[in-house]
Amino acid sequence: MYSIKRRHFMQGAAVTPFILNAPFAFAADGERPDFTVAVAALPATLEPARELSNVGTRVTYSIFDTLIRRDFLGSPDGGGSELKPHLATSWERKSPSELIVTLRQGVKFHNGDELTAEDVAYTFRDGRLRGEKAQIPGGKAYFSILSDVKAVDKYTVRFTTRVPDVLLEQRLASWCAWIVSKRAYEEMGFEGYSRAPVATGPYKVVSHNQSDATVLEAFDDYFLGKPTAKRVTFRAVPELAARVAGLVSGEFDLITNIPPDQEAVVGAYQDIDVRSVVLANSHVLVFDTRDPVLADKRVRQALASAIDRQKLVDTLWLGSAKVPASHNYPEYGQMYVEGRKLPYDPERSKALLKEAGYNGQKITYRTQAGYYTNALEAAQILIEMWKAVGINAELQVVEGAALRGPGSQVFNWSNSTRLPDPLGALWVAWGPAGEIQTAGIWEAASAKAFDDAGRALEAEIDPAKRKELFVKMLDQWEEEAPGTILYQPSEAYAIKRSISWRPTTFYFMDLRPDNLRFAQS
């Protein structure tokens, strides 16, 4: 029934297991290698809270640090959630609304300045991440809960939230929480800092060109020790075949976005290893509730229930991806809701369309061909699934802003579980501060019950009541159907077998000294 375009570009030798005989060590200063990563795309900006994208955080994770570090690699699957000291040595709850953070002394920014509490307070100031006039509106979804951030002394910061917040420590270890240099930001200005930021991370910026490469060099005063690579280059190589050819020839050390049907081919080279992980990220569809056809939620529900997600996983991902239990993930711990599942019921879709009076109006689905792995192939299958229940669906392959431009009824997107809690995924993405509601794509009247439950969840600290509110949010999101989940994708990287490096369940690419090692020659 389903026809997809497959990629075949080279043959390799027999697949061999990942075996290392050479020891790993920090190379002497003059012997440290350069490390080149070929990626499908590069971010437009390096301001970490401005570029909250898959392609952006992959790069900025090596430039910036957070106060608290989430230990992803503490779990074998790369999805650990334990919090550890990082730029902060300790933190203490004074109340459900107040957190005192003690900074590590002697940490240096790339410009030689010492990190102080003033830099931390500046990072979270109203004008950057909070308030109606924030320079980075996306930051409001994470830190609008703050009422005040104050430098108590040189190495102590007080965070105060407007309501009790059980997730503040997790927020400080996650998205938008990367610490910036106050002096550099003020001297360079918003746009200048976005092009060449000054931070505390293991690598500092040499140059950035979105269409070509981002070049970083080792920051040897890094507080966790000297970086193991002398220079790191993220090179934009949109074509998979070109990325693979460059890895095989030795031009690249690591490449991203290996499709599942090519993992065995690429990994067959004896000096190349493919390392993959199921992401804490779901590929989703967005339904524009303002559209005359999609304004009826029964049509949106029909689109959602017509999707055989397991067929997508088996066909496109060869079983390496996962169908989640709605916008509801086991890493939520006690907040995880057992027994839920995403609907697949073609007969229900047909009945809903009939009830809605749908009579064949065209519904256009837009996707970008190369931004997400398997995006185009998934789109081709989705169109056929929708046609099978009587939906007059049309596929449009577009670039950039056209994805959500005029005439876009359905488009693809992704939602990361940025915090191991509903407030760090469902709420951040789909709540009133998220980009779908702020763009008006999910209209306020339809979202009201969802928003009411989410605001209550933000302020609730009782675990049982929090879970009840989460169930209400899930029920409302599925009932109003401003979108639907497809699957959690896997992400595969191909890397020189002699290099020790582990991926995480986020697109963060951790190149710190404890995760990037080179075999001694």
Side-chain angles (χ1 to χ4, degrees):
M1 176 180 177
Y2 307 114
S3 173
I4 62 176
K5 298 177 182 177
R6 288 293 185 187
R7 316 163 188 82
H8 297 286
F9 49 84
M10 58 183 60
Q11 296 294 323
V15 179
T16 57
F18 179 32
I19 299 175
L20 291 174
N21 295 317
F24 291 103
F26 290 100
D29 287 350
E31 299 172 354
R32 281 185 294 180
D34 291 341
F35 186 67
T36 303
V37 182
V39 299
L42 287 168
T45 172
L46 297 179
E47 212 292 1
R50 188 182 187 186
E51 188 58 64
L52 297 176
S53 67
N54 302 336
V55 300
T57 55
R58 175 187 291 142
V59 176
T60 56
Y61 196 70
S62 292
I63 303 170
F64 291 86
D65 288 304
T66 51
L67 296 173
I68 302 170
R69 185 178 182 183
R70 179 174 166 180
D71 184 17
F72 290 99
L73 298 175
S75 172
D77 65 359
S81 59
E82 182 182 355
L83 298 181
K84 292 189 172 182
H86 200 51
L87 292 179
T89 57
S90 63
W91 51 92
E92 181 184 1
R93 280 279 183 169
K94 293 297 185 181
S95 76
S97 301
E98 184 179 351
L99 183 72
I100 301 295
V101 174
T102 301
L103 300 184
R104 189 181 301 275
Q105 298 185 25
V107 173
K108 295 294 182 65
F109 282 105
H110 299 154
N111 61 4
D113 292 351
E114 184 184 13
L115 168 72
T116 71
E118 290 294 340
D119 297 295
V120 175
Y122 184 85
T123 295
F124 298 98
R125 75 193 194 283
D126 283 344
R128 181 169 177 267
L129 295 182
R130 312 190 328 263
E132 292 304 315
K133 296 183 179 180
Q135 288 177 306
I136 308 169
K140 291 190 290 184
Y142 302 91
F143 287 108
S144 62
I145 199 161
L146 292 174
S147 62
D148 188 39
V149 183
K150 184 176 181 179
V152 177
D153 58 39
K154 188 175 182 179
Y155 301 113
T156 308
V157 186
R158 177 186 292 112
F159 289 85
T160 307
T161 57
R162 53 181 173 77
V163 293
D165 180 31
V166 299
L167 293 175
L168 184 54
E169 293 90 339
Q170 290 283 356
R171 295 181 197 276
L172 296 178
S174 188
W175 296 48
C176 281
W178 293 284
I179 303 302
V180 306
S181 162
K182 177 181 179 180
R183 183 168 75 88
Y185 216 106
E186 290 183 333
E187 289 179 352
M188 299 169 73
F190 181 54
E191 293 299 334
Y193 190 90
S194 296
R195 291 189 294 271
V198 173
T200 63
Y203 295 94
K204 55 186 178 182
V205 178
V206 174
S207 62
H208 172 64
N209 183 331
Q210 184 184 11
S211 63
D212 180 26
T214 301
V215 181
L216 313 177
E217 68 179 14
F219 177 51
D220 285 348
D221 286 332
Y222 187 52
F223 74 95
L224 289 180
K226 289 185 178 181
T228 51
K230 182 178 180 180
R231 178 169 285 211
V232 173
T233 300
F234 292 90
R235 188 163 298 283
V237 185
E239 294 297 325
L240 174 64
R243 295 199 298 277
V244 174
L247 180 65
V248 171
S249 70
E251 180 183 1
F252 309 135
D253 299 295
L254 184 156
I255 64 175
T256 67
N257 303 94
I258 307 298
D261 64 341
Q262 293 302 319
E263 288 184 31
V265 176
V266 176
Y269 290 87
Q270 289 189 343
D271 61 342
I272 294 174
D273 190 45
V274 176
R275 303 171 195 173
S276 63
V277 63
V278 175
L279 295 171
N281 171 280
S282 288
H283 286 185
V284 304
L285 302 180
V286 180
F287 306 140
D288 194 330
T289 65
R290 301 168 299 184
D291 179 81
V293 180
L294 299 184
D296 191 320
K297 68 181 179 182
R298 292 171 294 188
V299 177
R300 305 194 299 268
Q301 292 169 353
L303 287 163
S305 63
I307 299 171
D308 186 344
R309 295 164 180 83
Q310 193 59 50
K311 175 72 75 174
L312 292 173
V313 166
D314 294 341
T315 304
L316 299 178
W317 298 91
L318 307 182
S320 64
K322 180 180 179 181
V323 179
S326 188
H327 224 308
N328 168 47
Y329 305 96
E331 65 190 278
Y332 291 175
Q334 62 183 353
M335 290 288 284
Y336 179 67
V337 182
E338 298 282 355
R340 294 192 80 102
K341 63 185 298 185
L342 292 166
Y344 171 54
D345 189 344
E347 294 306 313
R348 178 174 180 263
S349 293
K350 293 175 184 178
L352 286 166
L353 292 169
K354 184 176 181 180
E355 289 176 15
Y358 174 78
N359 57 9
Q361 301 98 315
K362 185 179 291 183
I363 295 178
T364 300
Y365 173 42
R366 289 184 182 174
T367 185
Q368 293 175 282
Y371 189 84
Y372 297 118
T373 300
N374 278 330
L376 180 57
E377 292 84 351
Q380 292 167 340
I381 295 175
L382 288 168
I383 293 297
E384 297 303 317
M385 289 178 175
W386 288 333
K387 287 181 177 179
V389 299
I391 295 171
N392 179 16
E394 176 186 80
L395 175 63
Q396 292 182 355
V397 181
V398 300
E399 295 296 333
L403 187 72
R404 306 184 186 189
S408 179
Q409 295 168 284
V410 182
F411 61 87
N412 61 326
W413 191 36
S414 74
N415 295 164
S416 289
T417 306
R418 295 166 172 95
L419 310 175
D421 186 272
L423 292 178
L426 180 60
W427 183 241
V428 167
W430 296 90
E435 58 187 277
I436 299 303
Q437 282 203 52
T438 55
I441 295 169
W442 187 10
E443 292 187 304
S446 171
K448 184 179 185 305
F450 174 88
D451 290 349
D452 288 346
R455 290 189 181 97
L457 179 62
E458 278 192 308
E460 185 57 66
I461 60 175
D462 178 80
K465 293 179 181 178
R466 294 192 83 243
K467 192 166 186 175
E468 289 177 6
L469 290 166
F470 175 39
V471 170
K472 289 181 181 179
M473 292 175 68
L474 279 176
D475 289 344
Q476 285 299 314
W477 190 74
E478 292 171 10
E479 171 69 19
E480 295 300 328
T484 192
I485 290 175
L486 297 179
Y487 42 68
Q488 285 180 260
S490 62
E491 179 67 20
Y493 305 83
I495 186 170
K496 290 180 181 177
R497 195 174 285 268
S498 61
I499 299 173
S500 174
W501 174 82
R502 287 177 58 196
T504 71
T505 56
F506 273 46
Y507 281 101
F508 299 160
M509 184 169 283
D510 191 348
L511 304 181
R512 285 167 175 76
D514 58 351
N515 193 46
L516 179 65
R517 299 289 187 98
F518 299 89
Q520 290 178 324
S521 57

